[in-house]
Amino acid sequence: MPDKKSITIKIRVDSQTHTKMQSGADRYTDGNLSAFVRCATLKYNEEPVTDHDNPRMIALIKSAIKLIERTGTNTNQVAKHINEQQKMNPYSLRAADLLPFGQFCEGTDKIRQMLTYLYNMIISGK
């Protein structure tokens, strides 16, 4: 098990240096400045992140994330409603109470299609 990161290092830089550091972090570590500084001090020699060159992929990923979040939120709301109903009357569950879950099938199919398309884009390198 790796050690927890419990030591904080603070450095002061001017705005120009910060901009250069953030640019390097965006290129090599997907914007994570802490990871960039850690890697730079350990002579990091990996290839830069190239997803920034494909706006279609980025837009598709963002759309998939939003759809996943929306579906998850809706599912949680339905489950919460059923749980509250079961607290009041434990034997009151009906088939009709489960119907809202059927509404999410279309959303999950879209998510599956989007993720499959993204996977194929990544594998093909486009």
Side-chain angles (χ1 to χ4, degrees):
M1 183 172 175
D3 292 334
K4 286 177 58 175
K5 295 176 185 140
S6 60
I7 299 171
T8 302
I9 300 173
K10 296 180 182 181
I11 59 172
R12 293 173 60 133
V13 295
D14 59 9
S15 62
Q16 184 179 8
T17 303
H18 179 263
T19 302
K20 287 181 182 178
M21 290 172 68
Q22 189 62 56
S23 173
D26 290 342
R27 182 171 180 205
Y28 291 101
T29 59
D30 203 23
N32 187 333
L33 189 56
S34 295
F36 178 69
V37 171
R38 278 192 301 274
C39 292
T41 59
L42 299 172
K43 299 188 184 211
Y44 185 73
N45 291 321
E46 293 293 323
E47 291 295 315
V49 175
T50 57
D51 290 344
H52 299 290
D53 297 337
N54 193 337
R56 185 176 62 165
M57 183 184 295
I58 292 170
L60 191 57
I61 290 170
K62 288 180 180 180
S63 296
I65 289 171
K66 285 180 185 177
L67 190 56
I68 290 168
E69 288 173 346
R70 189 174 331 128
T71 302
T73 300
N74 291 342
T75 303
N76 285 338
Q77 288 174 350
V78 171
K80 183 178 178 181
H81 173 73
I82 290 172
N83 287 336
E84 291 297 321
Q85 186 178 7
Q86 290 299 300
K87 285 179 185 176
M88 292 171 39
N89 190 353
Y91 301 108
S92 67
L93 185 64
R94 302 167 305 191
D97 293 332
L98 301 176
L99 285 177
F101 287 108
Q103 297 172 356
F104 307 131
C105 291
E106 183 179 320
T108 54
D109 285 343
K110 282 183 186 177
I111 292 168
R112 184 182 46 76
Q113 290 170 359
M114 292 170 95
L115 294 177
T116 301
Y117 183 75
L118 278 166
Y119 174 79
N120 292 332
M121 281 178 74
I122 293 167
I123 295 300
S124 70
K126 293 182 180 179

